[in-house]
Amino acid sequence: STLIEKGYVDWIITTGANAYHDLHFAYGLPVRQGHFDVDDDILYSKQIVRIYDVYIKEIETLQKQDDIIQNEIAKINVEDSTSSLSSSDISFYLGKGASNNSHFPEKSFMVSAYNNNVPVYIPAITDSSIGMNMLPLLFESKLPNYNLVSDIAESAAILWKSKLSGGIELG
């Protein structure tokens, strides 16, 4: 976030997991450090989801985060955006939502990127919790048109127009 705010970052490429969990911090949803060598049945009985060595309570964290993401994406008015969205467009709206609605926006690189007009690309967005949260919107006809090829075109345009460009790959 500091690098973004100081103007050192023109664009970001990250995983959907990094963007998804970054938003946990903005919304104050707990993520705990655990251990990778734990019986998953014990964690399951306590409604804890384990991602390698990270523990997340299913109901009090994941379901709340999923509701937030679905609501933010469903609010996207395609008339206010391009006819088809890139992952940076979706990141923009998620960052905007966290900037306006979260308790701790200063803890989020997605918010910093939104506030500083730095595009965040998530090339494998469909292979993440963000992508999984887009599925119910698709079934409800609330999903804006998403075009993953737009990511390539936009990032190539950034490089083409820049004499000097910096990026951070997270994940």
Side-chain angles (χ1 to χ4, degrees), residues 4-71:
I4 293 169
E5 291 159 12
K6 300 245 183 221
Y8 290 107
V9 179
D10 299 316
W11 52 297
I12 296 172
I13 298 173
T14 190
T15 65
N18 282 333
Y20 179 78
H21 296 299
D22 170 79
L23 294 170
H24 282 84
F25 299 113
Y27 287 100
L29 299 171
V31 176
R32 301 285 182 245
Q33 180 71 44
H35 193 272
F36 71 92
D37 190 20
V38 174
D39 185 336
D40 286 327
D41 289 333
I42 293 170
L43 295 176
Y44 181 77
S45 71
K46 297 177 182 191
Q47 296 182 327
I48 296 173
V49 174
R50 178 181 68 85
I51 303 169
Y52 187 64
D53 64 348
V54 175
Y55 295 174
I56 306 170
K57 292 289 274 185
E58 184 173 5
I59 294 173
E60 63 189 59
T61 299
L62 290 180
Q63 288 183 0
K64 286 181 184 177
Q65 181 75 359
D66 293 348
D67 289 343
I68 290 167
I69 287 174
Q70 289 177 27
N71 289 333

Side-chain angles (χ1 to χ4, degrees), residues 15-135:
T15 65
N18 282 333
Y20 179 78
H21 296 299
D22 170 79
L23 294 170
H24 282 84
F25 299 113
Y27 287 100
L29 299 171
V31 176
R32 301 285 182 245
Q33 180 71 44
H35 193 272
F36 71 92
D37 190 20
V38 174
D39 185 336
D40 286 327
D41 289 333
I42 293 170
L43 295 176
Y44 181 77
S45 71
K46 297 177 182 191
Q47 296 182 327
I48 296 173
V49 174
R50 178 181 68 85
I51 303 169
Y52 187 64
D53 64 348
V54 175
Y55 295 174
I56 306 170
K57 292 289 274 185
E58 184 173 5
I59 294 173
E60 63 189 59
T61 299
L62 290 180
Q63 288 183 0
K64 286 181 184 177
Q65 181 75 359
D66 293 348
D67 289 343
I68 290 167
I69 287 174
Q70 289 177 27
N71 289 333
E72 290 302 327
I73 293 174
K75 283 194 269 183
I76 298 172
N77 184 345
V78 177
E79 295 164 4
D80 294 340
S81 64
T82 59
S83 59
S84 66
L85 301 172
S86 67
S87 66
S88 70
D89 293 320
I90 292 169
S91 296
F92 173 87
Y93 286 104
L94 293 175
K96 179 181 179 182
S99 179
N100 294 333
N101 302 313
S102 71
H103 298 296
F104 307 102
E106 70 281 359
K107 293 184 177 184
S108 169
F109 79 85
M110 294 285 284
V111 170
S112 293
Y114 162 74
N115 287 334
N116 292 279
N117 203 27
V118 171
V120 177
Y121 294 98
I122 308 171
I125 196 169
T126 57
D127 188 25
S128 73
S129 294
I130 295 172
M132 288 173 35
N133 279 294
M134 294 165 74
L135 188 59

